[in-house]
Amino acid sequence: MDSRFQEKMTLVLNDFHMPSYSEIPDVGLFLEQAAKFAAGSLSAFESISITSSMISNYVKKKMIANPVKKQYYRDQIANIMIIAVAKTVLSLEEIQIMLKIQNENENFDCKAAYTYFCKEFEAALHRVFGVESTSEVKSGYGSGEGDENSHISENLSDFKEKTLLKNTIVAVAHKIYLDECFSYIAEQEAENNNKSREKEKKQR
């Protein structure tokens, strides 16, 4: 990829921020609101999508807990975002298995999984795209919530849940890289075709 692509992705990644666990609303969001918040958090990447119907399907498949009085809370929204990212490389059935293993381990709760997910996802994207990472500073990992997150990281060192999640994240980062590359190539081809047509018009 050329320097323009690198510059574009540097801007995208430096602006990208996964909300920390504490930044996810816990006041109760209705379906449309939950979908809007989750989709907005991941809007930097076209290959990741979240809609109300998708969330309803996750509830139906028991991948996330049922809404309480039609409202979704922090743990549910955190899992929605994990699912949205993971489904770019895994089937829903595979994600169900991963979530089931997570739920069966009392030391790997939603907060721990989501916190680890955010840190690794941002770091993996920067590594794959070759962009110097500033995500730990922007996301609060290592600052306000740093001591707590370090404790979580230490406690998860040997869990298979962590290994599954980490490898899923790495695969997603590479998938996003390929999607962005092919999208950029298509944009460049369209731009070159437009220039060729304009040149032909001027020569007539």
Side-chain angles (χ1 to χ4, degrees):
M1 289 294 112
D2 59 27
S3 59
R4 289 174 61 187
F5 175 76
Q6 195 65 29
E7 289 172 3
K8 172 189 173 183
M9 294 315 302
T10 297
L11 289 173
V12 169
L13 294 181
N14 283 340
D15 286 339
F16 177 64
H17 162 59
M18 284 295 296
S20 67
Y21 183 81
S22 63
E23 290 173 330
I24 299 173
D26 202 30
V27 295
L29 300 181
F30 290 104
L31 180 58
E32 291 290 342
Q33 294 172 315
K36 184 177 180 180
F37 176 85
S41 299
L42 294 162
S43 61
F45 309 109
E46 293 182 6
S47 55
I48 300 176
S49 61
I50 303 173
T51 65
S52 298
S53 60
M54 289 178 183
I55 294 174
S56 296
N57 190 40
Y58 303 155
V59 174
K60 183 179 180 180
K61 290 180 176 291
K62 301 188 183 303
M63 299 174 73
I64 59 174
N66 290 324
V68 179
K69 296 181 180 180
K70 298 184 178 181
Q71 293 179 314
Y72 295 80
Y73 290 83
R74 183 172 289 153
D75 280 5
Q76 293 158 302
I77 296 170
N79 274 331
I80 287 167
M81 289 195 282
I82 290 176
I83 293 168
V85 172
K87 75 182 179 67
T88 61
V89 295
L90 298 178
S91 68
L92 290 183
E93 289 73 21
E94 289 168 332
I95 297 172
Q96 279 180 303
I97 293 171
M98 188 167 65
L99 293 176
K100 182 175 182 291
I101 293 172
Q102 171 192 315
N103 293 333
E104 289 174 350
N105 193 323
E106 61 182 17
N107 292 312
F108 199 80
D109 60 9
C110 182
K111 180 178 182 179
Y114 181 77
T115 300
Y116 179 77
F117 160 80
C118 288
K119 181 178 180 180
E120 290 296 321
F121 184 43
E122 292 187 10
L125 286 170
H126 281 79
R127 285 196 302 270
V128 169
F129 281 92
V131 176
E132 185 177 352
S133 177
T134 58
S135 60
E136 289 191 359
V137 175
K138 292 192 299 178
S139 299
Y141 306 122
S143 55
E145 292 184 313
D147 293 339
E148 182 178 359
N149 292 338
S150 296
H151 177 67
I152 288 172
S153 181
E154 290 170 3
N155 284 340
L156 300 184
S157 59
D158 297 321
F159 291 158
K160 60 184 175 182
E161 293 88 343
K162 179 180 176 182
T163 303
L164 279 172
L165 193 54
K166 182 172 184 176
N167 282 285
T168 299
I169 289 166
V170 170
V172 170
H174 284 282
K175 177 67 165 58
I176 289 174
Y177 179 85
L178 291 173
D179 289 340
E180 292 293 338
C181 280
F182 286 118
S183 176
Y184 179 77
I185 290 170
E187 289 174 3
Q188 292 302 299
E189 289 181 350
E191 184 178 317
N192 291 336
N193 288 337
N194 287 335
K195 287 180 179 178
S196 296
R197 284 193 290 270
E198 289 297 322
K199 186 177 181 180
E200 288 175 3
K201 286 181 182 178
K202 290 179 180 179
Q203 292 175 343
R204 289 174 185 172

